[in-house]
Amino acid sequence: MFESFTAEVVSMIGKGIFETLYMTVISTFFGYIIGLPWGVALYVSSQKGLKPNAAIYGILSFIANVMRSIPFLILLILVMPFTLFIVGRTYGSTATIVPLTLSAAPLIARMVESSVSEVDAGVIEAAQSMGAGTWTLITSVLLVEGRVSLISGIVIMLGTVLGYSAMAGVVGGGGLGDIAIRYGYYRYQADIMIVTVVLLVALVMILQALGSKIAVAFDKRK
Amino acid sequence: MAGIVEVKNLSKTFYNKDSEVNALKDINLSIEKGDIYGIIGMSGAGKSTLVRCLNFLERPTSGEVYIDGEALSGLSDKKLKEIRGSIAMIFQNFNLLNQVNIIDNVAFPLRIQKMNKAQARQKARELLKTVGLSEKEKNYPSQLSGGQKQRVAIARALANDPKILLCDEATSALDPRTTAQILELLKKINDEMGITIIVITHQMSVVQDICHKVAIIEDGRLAESGIVSDIFANPKSHAGKMLVIGEKDMEIPLLHEDRRIRIVFETNSSYEPVIANMVLHFKTPVNILRANTRNVEGTAMGDMILGLPEDKRMQEDMIAYLEEKKLVVSEVTEDV
């Protein structure tokens, strides 16, 4: 069964692993650049937040809900003109980063919102009693006290984005998913498909294990 | 003379969807500089809301709070934050940053007030020495006991050299021995640094231990206020009696007596065996239903609940006898 794994195929799979990690990490990174402030803003403007503001919360929450409801494959196609504008083309792994980021951001915003709202209200009150302003509360209390949950969120997001990135293979997005679809689905080379799927599973497991270790290392509560 | 904290006609109403809760109603307080002032009440009485109004963590619905003569409601956000820097607060659940080590927890308020890290840590180190926890600076809150955590919280509260320290049920989560140590530390802080301390509690023993004056809050109203030993000797309000005499003892079954009185005496009057002498004098026994000695502001005060004999004349004579001996006598009835 291994006759199809020529040097060429092996190097292609190696490149696939790299592309998958590249798309996953970069998209999650950009996702957080948008989603972290978005999630913090959701919490701050929420009813129990630091500066409740129903209008701002309503708008931010609505956009997050709408963007999260669009299936990734549809979003991928919908944003193609935007991708073309930013990257200069609509295929390949760099181009896939655009829709990946856009679909990850609202999910990240919700995860961040939930992480920071778990922070003990008493600790926030204590900081307020010392004269801390909203910015200090965000940077020194919410993001610090909520960091274990935030790190767990990053790990979940990496896994999710990695899964999405595999779907991008349908439109020539590159990475392991692309290989799995091209060889397994279009050419019926099940062995290559199985290997790539196993590799995807292994990547998610490694990310999860690493992330959990980091989260535990950062947790000073026990 | 105006106090360091003046509360004028303060009311706070919480509005829910279809109801409103009057948490505080027309509270007036004057707390003098350097005092240890107790605010006591049963849970739900509104004392926690009251203390949060003192630094405007809760904005009063009406009325005014003056800190050192300055009306808080007129202040800008920036000025309010500055004032909060001079009013420190400690809490029942300590509220330390769990992901930050002890030294940086203590340095935190200094960092909020923009002191640089090295200086802040230097000062934090000195404060940890004050509360006796120098060797714990690299530890995290989860590695400390409750009493140690409260010490860290006290060190943190002292970081900005506050004028006022608010203690919100600061000893309620601690065992009696640790409570005594923390109260001792608060007394020391008051003595040595002259910081005005406001103690919110539901425990009369805490007030008796360290407070000089006390305000009793009941159902959002100020039931009574004054010198602790006066209120201990002769509580006037229902809430005051409940707190001083104790809810359980208010309900002592009547046994054979139809009239019970509470007498309070201080150390100087307790040299004479008053009750024994009274019994000898009237040749009629009385029933001692409860006797207790308590430390109020450093003075031993005794309080006793007596069941008097049935004869009405005899009852009046006995009360007159006790009053003549300069004891404070009050009636104990089930429906105070």
Side-chain angles (χ1 to χ4, degrees), chain B residues 127-192:
Chain B
L127 289 164
L128 280 176
K129 205 189 280 173
T130 311
V131 299
L133 283 175
S134 290
E135 75 285 8
K136 299 283 186 193
E137 65 167 74
K138 289 276 186 290
N139 287 86
Y140 286 86
S142 61
Q143 297 162 320
L144 303 187
S145 69
Q148 289 174 326
K149 283 185 205 170
Q150 198 59 289
R151 279 168 190 275
V152 174
I154 290 171
R156 178 175 75 172
L158 297 176
N160 276 325
D161 303 313
K163 289 184 279 191
I164 301 164
L165 175 60
L166 306 176
C167 310
D168 184 17
E169 297 278 10
T171 57
S172 301
L174 304 174
D175 62 66
R177 206 169 137 240
T178 318
T179 296
Q181 290 168 351
I182 294 294
L183 293 179
E184 203 51 51
L185 179 61
L186 289 176
K187 229 187 266 183
K188 189 179 129 188
I189 287 163
N190 173 260
D191 267 359
E192 292 175 7

Side-chain angles (χ1 to χ4, degrees), chain A residues 76 79-85 87-92 95-96 171-173:
Chain A
L76 187 77
V79 299
M80 271 183 179
F82 183 62
T83 307
L84 189 65
F85 172 73
V87 186
R89 53 195 174 112
T90 58
Y91 56 92
T96 310
V171 293

Side-chain angles (χ1 to χ4, degrees), chain B residues 192-252:
Chain B
E192 292 175 7
M193 308 183 191
I195 296 171
T196 309
I197 299 184
I198 300 173
V199 177
I200 284 67
T201 182
H202 66 273
Q203 298 166 300
M204 194 60 196
S205 58
V206 169
V207 171
Q208 286 163 3
D209 254 14
I210 64 166
C211 296
H212 173 236
K213 283 189 179 166
V214 64
I216 299 173
I217 306 290
E218 185 182 30
D219 287 334
R221 284 181 201 283
L222 183 65
E224 60 182 309
S225 66
I227 311 269
V228 172
S229 48
D230 290 351
I231 288 187
F232 178 79
N234 196 7
K236 292 191 176 66
S237 64
H238 171 74
K241 286 179 184 170
M242 295 282 268
L243 287 161
V244 170
I245 301 172
E247 212 163 335
K248 282 226 177 71
D249 288 331
M250 302 269 293
E251 288 153 15
I252 294 172

Side-chain angles (χ1 to χ4, degrees), chain A:
Chain A
M1 121 178 220
F2 292 103
E3 67 276 8
S4 49
F5 290 91
T6 57
E8 208 178 307
V9 169
V10 170
S11 97
M12 177 187 71
I13 290 176
K15 187 163 167 266
I17 293 175
F18 171 78
E19 284 177 344
T20 292
L21 287 175
Y22 165 73
M23 287 188 288
T24 304
V25 172
I26 303 290
S27 305
T28 308
F29 175 75
F30 282 121
Y32 267 90
I33 288 192
I34 302 169
L36 186 66
W38 189 349
V40 170
L42 275 168
Y43 168 73
V44 171
S45 62
S46 72
Q47 209 184 343
K48 288 181 176 172
L50 306 172
K51 300 231 154 161
N53 186 320
I56 292 180
Y57 184 84
I59 293 167
L60 291 175
S61 175
F62 178 76
I63 300 174
N65 288 343
V66 168
M67 283 179 68
R68 277 182 58 199
S69 330
I70 302 173
F72 176 66
L73 269 177
I74 308 292
L75 184 85
L76 187 77
I77 295 158
L78 270 180
V79 299
M80 271 183 179
F82 183 62
T83 307
L84 189 65
F85 172 73
I86 301 238
V87 186
R89 53 195 174 112
T90 58
Y91 56 92
S93 39
T94 305
T96 310
I97 287 172
V98 176
L100 278 178
T101 301
L102 290 178
S103 71
L107 193 55
I108 290 170
R110 286 299 186 195
M111 308 247 295
V112 169
E113 180 191 10
S114 124
S115 290
V116 294
S117 56
E118 281 165 27
V119 172
D120 183 2
V123 179
I124 295 170
E125 190 182 40
Q128 280 174 323
S129 79
M130 294 170 205
T134 309
W135 182 250
T136 314
L137 286 170
I138 292 169
T139 54
S140 311
V141 182
L142 292 180
L143 297 183
V144 175
E145 288 293 293
R147 67 185 181 194
V148 175
S149 174
L150 286 167
I151 292 170
S152 305
I154 294 176
V155 178
I156 295 172
M157 279 320 299
L158 284 169
T160 309
V161 173
L162 193 137
Y164 283 170
S165 82
M167 270 192 262
V170 177
V171 293
L176 288 174
D178 198 3
I179 296 170
I181 287 168
R182 269 188 289 140
Y183 286 79
Y185 187 65
Y186 296 134
R187 294 197 202 169
Y188 303 105
Q189 277 182 284
D191 48 357
I192 294 185
M193 185 186 74
I194 289 167
V195 167
T196 52
V197 170
V198 167
L199 281 170
L200 282 170
V201 171
L203 280 179
V204 171
M205 288 173 79
I206 291 166
L207 285 175
Q208 184 65 48
L210 258 168
S212 305
K213 272 229 160 70
I214 294 170
V216 170
F218 271 101
D219 193 358
K220 303 297 183 187
R221 285 174 301 188
K222 46 185 171 276

